Amino acid sequence: MIYINVIGGGLAGCEAAMQIASRGINVRLYEMKPNKKTPAHSTNKLGELVCSNSLKAMRVESAAGLLKEEMRRLNSFLIKCAGQCRVPAGGALAVDREIFSDLITKGVMDNPLIEVISEEIAEIPNDAVTVIATGPLTADALAQKIKELTGNTLSFFDAAAPIVTAESIDMEYAFFASRYDKGDGDDYINCPMNKTEYETFYNELISAERAPLHDFDVQNPKVYEGCMPIEVMAQRGENTIRFGPMKPVGLINPKTGHRPWAVLQLRKENAAGTMYNLVGFQTNLKFPEQKRVFSLIPALHNADFVRYGVMHRNTFICSPKCLNADFSFRENKNLFFAGQLTGVEGYMESAASGLIAGINAANTVLGKNKIVLPKETMIGALAGYISDETVSNFQPMGANFGILPELVDRPRDKKERGAAYAKRALEALDRYIQHELEV
């Protein structure tokens, strides 16, 4: 009998399994619950939501809404489940988490082509095409095997810096330069601050509210000096970060001819230069606090944050070094990865990666070409980001317009711009479905 292994019964694994089964192929879905649970899980159900019950915005003109509409057009199983258990949440798609998991579990268990096996997998199978979707808390034994296979270290405790869109940086207050003019002149965008601006920022930073950590995040919180949260570093003294990540040495503001009191440097996050990382600003502040405090930096007063900083255990591979845009492993065409393990961030992003990995695993067995969605689509852009070898300092990424190719005639209005991105994406997806894909 021909079958495909799917390891992990979370959102990505269940979506992958259902996509494979819908193409007439048998699936062995391995899920270690109920025999063993991660510290984050509390039920024996498949597709358990461990944090928020919100799947983010529904409005198609938003990045999160566009992602979900693309999934709907690709016949996503999880989107159908979510639609059956919505709860009021304004413009967001929020679900009754218990019913949501019940629907997922029933759909998978009732599928005659899917065999659910309650077993922890400690080795990567080589007996069939396989999708690994074990999530950010992958069990230690399998995590070690994945580490050996990919040749790079998985991150087990993560402190990441925020990312902003390039277009939202106010260049009236910023300037391009490398320290001591080393490197290319546009290596960094520098956001200078005078003494008064810095002192205001510093006082708000050290008093800002931090996000709580889960118990499983703080059992062995090995946070290295290079990953120390900016707010923790700041509490060592008023000048600590001014002599550290915000040091102005070697930088002259061409607008004033003087060295600033303090400088935040922004580094390109992608080759297109549409997103910039706040260098040295790893943080565990609550998301609204990040927006409030970091927007006190003059050049970021109107910044659009496409990813906020996080600090938690977060297992993921360095996908740009080892995955293709079809979610296959570069050194083994029969092995696929999906979910947060690949560096996509968010419930629906994980499910979307499972959708594509599942389709491509099935296509491998059926002798069909693997699919890679157009880069203008949100799913295609996410797949492109996690497989882009030019991405340095790889960190998880959720749906946002910053990873899409720039619009030719980009509207100035933010809502109109979102609508234009969505229109282009869905037109590209519809053409692809019509000519390249059967869903």
Side-chain angles (χ1 to χ4, degrees), residues 102-115:
D102 286 340
L103 290 168
I104 295 172
T105 302
K106 179 174 173 52
V108 171
M109 297 291 251
D110 287 354
N111 192 303
L113 295 180
I114 301 177
E115 177 187 7

Side-chain angles (χ1 to χ4, degrees), residues 151-407:
N152 57 73
T153 302
L154 281 67
S155 173
F156 286 100
F157 201 77
D158 180 33
I163 295 173
V164 298
T165 62
E167 64 186 12
S168 69
I169 302 165
D170 193 337
M171 294 305 296
E172 288 294 319
Y173 296 95
F175 60 94
F176 285 99
S178 295
R179 204 178 302 277
Y180 296 112
D181 293 323
K182 293 180 179 179
D184 295 329
D186 62 350
D187 281 356
Y188 293 92
I189 293 178
N190 298 275
C191 306
M193 305 174 76
N194 60 34
K195 189 173 187 292
T196 300
E197 291 165 344
Y198 173 79
E199 289 174 348
T200 299
F201 166 77
Y202 171 79
N203 288 324
E204 292 300 320
L205 176 63
I206 60 174
S207 62
E209 189 174 3
R210 301 180 193 179
L213 295 175
H214 295 289
D215 289 343
F216 54 84
D217 283 332
V218 295
Q219 289 172 352
N220 293 292
K222 297 178 181 178
V223 182
Y224 300 102
E225 196 73 19
C227 291
M228 181 165 292
I230 187 72
E231 63 273 12
V232 174
M233 189 184 304
Q235 289 187 321
R236 295 177 173 179
E238 184 174 338
N239 287 316
T240 302
I241 59 175
R242 201 169 71 83
F243 294 153
M246 299 192 75
K247 64 182 178 183
V249 177
L251 293 168
I252 300 296
N253 187 345
K255 296 179 174 65
T256 64
H258 299 290
R259 188 177 78 181
W261 184 255
V263 172
L264 165 65
Q265 289 198 303
L266 308 178
R267 179 178 55 225
K268 284 183 182 179
E269 179 65 22
N270 59 349
T274 58
M275 299 182 292
Y276 277 78
N277 185 291
L278 278 63
V279 178
F281 266 49
Q282 296 88 355
T283 181
N284 189 45
L285 296 182
K286 288 187 172 182
F287 290 177
E289 290 288 79
Q290 292 184 40
K291 172 69 174 176
R292 180 183 68 84
V293 175
F294 298 153
S295 294
L296 292 172
I297 299 171
L300 300 185
H301 69 94
N302 196 34
D304 182 10
F305 289 80
V306 298
R307 189 195 74 193
Y308 288 105
V310 292
M311 182 179 173
H312 54 83
R313 174 174 173 172
N314 190 13
T315 303
F316 60 94
I317 61 177
C318 188
S319 294
K321 292 184 178 180
C322 56
L323 293 190
N324 297 309
D326 56 19
F327 291 93
S328 65
F329 185 57
R330 288 180 187 155
E331 296 183 8
N332 182 351
K333 65 180 182 180
N334 293 326
L335 180 62
F336 297 82
F337 286 84
Q340 291 191 59
L341 195 59
T342 68
V344 296
E345 186 172 58
Y347 287 145
M348 289 294 95
E349 289 86 344
S350 294
S353 70
L355 187 154
I356 301 302
I359 292 174
N360 283 329
N363 283 358
T364 298
V365 169
L366 296 170
K368 296 182 178 181
N369 293 329
K370 297 185 181 76
I371 68 167
V372 176
L373 297 189
K375 62 183 179 180
E376 292 82 7
T377 66
M378 188 58 68
I379 298 175
L382 281 169
Y385 177 80
I386 64 101
S387 61
D388 182 358
E389 295 181 79
T390 70
V391 173
S392 59
N393 303 305
F394 181 65
Q395 292 289 343
M397 180 66 68
N400 68 86
F401 289 132
I403 61 175
L404 297 178
E406 273 290 355
L407 295 163

